[in-house]
């Protein structure tokens, strides 16, 4: 094939179940394009192809693939999209490239922006995964392939059947696995899976069989990211785990909320709020379980890194190496602080009283020492305590020390 309508065909660049993808060129606008042809005779695939053209054609955002044109060539539908340089995110993950964490955070922010825009237009992607994300040579991430997307307000009868799971195994939300109706929060769950995989290069629900993957999605929590990546930022882990909540009501309500937290993390601002029902409020590791067993102040501190950080710059920039949750120090509670002050006052008072008693006893000068009395004139003027006073002082000291021991034991 040399020509498709006005477009010059340069080379084949991909192939899928629906047909083929060609690299082409628009001779009038002098730009390269990607041309997708739906050569399949399957009615379901053709409907999805037309739906993708209809949906993606109405989306115009820097982090979403742009559709330029649509038409037919000898009864074969084709779609013309912008030609994207770079490579799929799935390739980067498979190679386990040494990508700085700050760059990964920037990609996740781009993806969240693209999906937030699609949701604002009533579009649910339903197949968010690394192979549907393109990382351009410029470093920008773009969301691709709206083949099984749907418009939230439109009737999609005929495109899906009740009880049919739509999506890719391993990235489906629990409600998708169960064949239940889905909304935009299914994309948030899939985004959480993608984020977990990008940040750790491990799939959160990976297993040998499809049934086992589905079981893990429905019943098991993923391994904490901080167990896989040393010194992983605690706040970023909280964002990912909240996206992965089994109950869709416990996830973020929108990508706008996700973006708000990602932008605060990038700016070095700690995430103080934990919303009701947030699954990240529950400890996910032994260190956190031990910390949350104490007072509330300790639990809150362990769930986020203390202090703030300044985003580094340069090609090797990375997220801050925040302290491991096992070694994060919690501030003392108000009760413990007041107890410590009381104990200090008691012990200090006891010591002071004892010192007065001891000073009051005038020590005899050493043989040949003619300066002892002159060095302690005040002490020499004090009368020596009587036997009753000394006994009373010792008893008072004993009582104070017993009170201090009791407070410390509490």
């Amino acid at each position: 094939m040399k020509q498709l309508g006005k477009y010059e065909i340069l080379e084949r660049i991909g192939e899928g179940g629906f047909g083929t993808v060609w690299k082409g060129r628009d001779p009038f606008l002098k730009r390269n394009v990607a041309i997708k042809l739906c050569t399949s005779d399957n009615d379901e695939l053709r409907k999805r192809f037309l739906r993708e053209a209809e949906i993606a054609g109405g989306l115009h955002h820097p982090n979403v693939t742009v559709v330029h044109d649509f038409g037919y060539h000898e009864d074969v539908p084709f779609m013309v999209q912008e030609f994207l340089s770079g490579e799929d995110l799935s390739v980067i993950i498979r190679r386990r490239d040494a990508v700085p964490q700050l760059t990964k955070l920037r990609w996740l922010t781009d993806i969240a922006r693209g999906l937030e825009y699609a949701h604002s237009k009533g579009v649910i992607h339903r197949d968010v995964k690394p192979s549907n994300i393109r990382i351009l040579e410029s470093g920008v991430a773009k969301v691709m392939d709206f083949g099984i997307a749907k418009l939230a307000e439109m009737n999609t009868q005929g495109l899906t059947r009740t009880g049919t799971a739509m999506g890719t195994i391993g990235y489906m939300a629990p409600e998708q696995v169960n064949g239940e109706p889905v909304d935009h929060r299914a994309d948030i769950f899939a985004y959480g899976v993608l984020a977990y995989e990008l940040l750790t290069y491990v799939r959160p629900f990976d297993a040998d069989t499809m049934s086992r993957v589905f079981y893990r999605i429905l019943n098991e929590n993923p391994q904490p990211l901080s167990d896989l990546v040393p010194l992983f930022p605690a706040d970023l882990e909280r964002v990912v785990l909240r996206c992965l909540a089994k109950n869709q009501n416990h996830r973020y309500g929108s990508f706008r909320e996700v973006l708000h937290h990602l932008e605060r993390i990038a700016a070095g601002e700690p995430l103080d709020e934990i919303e009701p029902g947030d699954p990240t409020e529950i400890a996910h590791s032994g260190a956190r379980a031990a910390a949350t067993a104490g007072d509330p102040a300790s639990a809150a501190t362990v769930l986020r890194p203390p202090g703030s950080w300044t985003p580094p710059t340069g090609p090797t920039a990375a997220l801050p190496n925040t302290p491991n949750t096992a070694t994060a120090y919690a501030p003392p509670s108000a009760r413990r602080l007041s107890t410590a002050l009381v104990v200090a006052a008691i012990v200090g008072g006891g010591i002071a009283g004892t010192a007065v008693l001891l000073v009051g006893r005038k020590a005899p000068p050493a043989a040949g020492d003619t300066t002892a009395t002159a060095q302690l004139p005040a002490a020499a003027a004090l009368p020596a305590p009587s036997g009753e006073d000394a006994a009373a002082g010792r008893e008072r000291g004993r009582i104070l020390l017993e009170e201090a021991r009791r407070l410390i034991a509490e």
Side-chain angles (χ1 to χ4, degrees), residues 13 54 56 128 205 219 246 281 295 310 387:
I13 57 177
E54 175 187 2
V128 176
F205 305 107
N219 300 286
K246 310 289 186 191
E281 189 175 9
D295 53 42
T310 302

Side-chain angles (χ1 to χ4, degrees), residues 254-307:
S254 69
F255 272 108
R256 185 179 298 276
E257 297 176 22
V258 177
L259 282 168
H260 173 64
H261 279 178
L262 291 181
E263 289 166 356
R264 287 186 60 181
I265 291 173
E269 301 175 5
L271 305 184
D272 297 323
E273 69 275 13
I274 299 179
E275 306 213 3
D278 186 345
T280 62
E281 189 175 9
I282 302 173
H284 286 277
S285 67
R288 290 180 182 174
T292 54
D295 53 42
S298 174
T301 302
V302 169
L303 284 173
R304 63 177 186 271

Side-chain angles (χ1 to χ4, degrees), residues 218-234:
L218 294 173
N219 300 286
E220 296 182 4
N221 288 323
Q223 185 176 4
L225 288 84
S226 51
D227 288 357
L228 298 170
V229 180
L231 303 177
F232 191 86

Side-chain angles (χ1 to χ4, degrees), residues 70-146:
F70 180 84
Y72 286 86
H73 176 74
E74 297 178 355
D75 199 36
V76 175
F78 67 89
M79 178 168 41
V80 181
Q81 299 177 325
E82 63 175 321
F83 181 79
L84 301 178
S85 61
E87 56 189 349
D88 291 352
L89 183 58
S90 58
V91 176
I92 296 173
I93 292 175
R94 186 166 58 248
R95 288 198 308 254
R96 303 177 67 88
D97 288 357
V99 180
Q101 285 184 318
L102 189 62
T103 300
K104 292 181 179 181
L105 179 61
R106 185 166 61 246
W107 291 346
L108 290 174
T109 302
D110 284 350
I111 297 166
R113 284 174 179 157
L115 291 171
E116 192 276 332
Y117 170 78
H119 288 182
S120 72
K121 299 299 182 181
V123 177
I124 304 170
H125 193 286
R126 296 198 298 174
D127 198 21
V128 176
K129 58 184 178 182
S131 60
N132 282 339
I133 304 298
R134 191 76 168 180
I135 306 299
L136 307 186
E137 292 177 352
S138 63
V140 174
K142 288 211 173 205
V143 181
M144 307 184 298
D145 198 350
F146 288 80

Side-chain angles (χ1 to χ4, degrees), residues 99-367:
V99 180
Q101 285 184 318
L102 189 62
T103 300
K104 292 181 179 181
L105 179 61
R106 185 166 61 246
W107 291 346
L108 290 174
T109 302
D110 284 350
I111 297 166
R113 284 174 179 157
L115 291 171
E116 192 276 332
Y117 170 78
H119 288 182
S120 72
K121 299 299 182 181
V123 177
I124 304 170
H125 193 286
R126 296 198 298 174
D127 198 21
V128 176
K129 58 184 178 182
S131 60
N132 282 339
I133 304 298
R134 191 76 168 180
I135 306 299
L136 307 186
E137 292 177 352
S138 63
V140 174
K142 288 211 173 205
V143 181
M144 307 184 298
D145 198 350
F146 288 80
I148 64 170
K150 73 171 185 177
L151 292 173
E153 73 280 3
M154 291 182 62
N155 181 7
T156 58
Q157 185 177 4
L159 291 181
T160 61
R161 296 184 297 276
T162 302
T164 300
M166 302 295 294
T168 299
I169 297 172
Y171 301 89
M172 293 182 182
E175 58 270 26
Q176 282 177 292
V177 172
N178 287 327
E180 300 170 356
V182 302
D183 59 19
H184 63 282
R185 291 171 294 183
D187 280 354
I188 293 177
F189 184 91
Y191 173 85
V193 177
L194 179 151
Y196 187 107
E197 187 176 358
L198 172 60
L199 294 167
T200 66
Y201 291 156
V202 174
R203 291 185 179 180
F205 305 107
D206 198 20
D208 296 334
T209 65
M210 180 177 68
S211 60
R212 178 60 181 163
V213 171
F214 286 161
Y215 177 85
R216 294 195 65 191
I217 290 174
L218 294 173
N219 300 286
E220 296 182 4
N221 288 323
Q223 185 176 4
L225 288 84
S226 51
D227 288 357
L228 298 170
V229 180
L231 303 177
F232 191 86
D235 279 346
L236 186 54
E237 179 172 16
R238 290 174 59 201
V239 171
V240 176
L241 293 180
R242 185 173 176 189
C243 290
L244 291 174
K246 310 289 186 191
N247 187 330
Q248 54 190 338
N249 294 321
H250 291 170
R251 295 175 210 149
Y252 285 100
S254 69
F255 272 108
R256 185 179 298 276
E257 297 176 22
V258 177
L259 282 168
H260 173 64
H261 279 178
L262 291 181
E263 289 166 356
R264 287 186 60 181
I265 291 173
E269 301 175 5
L271 305 184
D272 297 323
E273 69 275 13
I274 299 179
E275 306 213 3
D278 186 345
T280 62
E281 189 175 9
I282 302 173
H284 286 277
S285 67
R288 290 180 182 174
T292 54
D295 53 42
S298 174
T301 302
V302 169
L303 284 173
R304 63 177 186 271
S308 61
W309 60 282
T310 302
T313 58
T316 59
L319 287 175
N321 290 330
T322 54
N324 189 295
T325 52
T327 58
Y329 294 97
S333 63
R335 182 176 179 275
R336 290 181 178 177
L337 186 59
S338 61
T339 299
L341 292 174
V342 170
V343 170
I346 291 173
V347 174
I351 293 173
T354 303
V356 169
L357 289 175
L358 291 175
V359 171
R361 293 177 178 271
K362 181 178 179 182

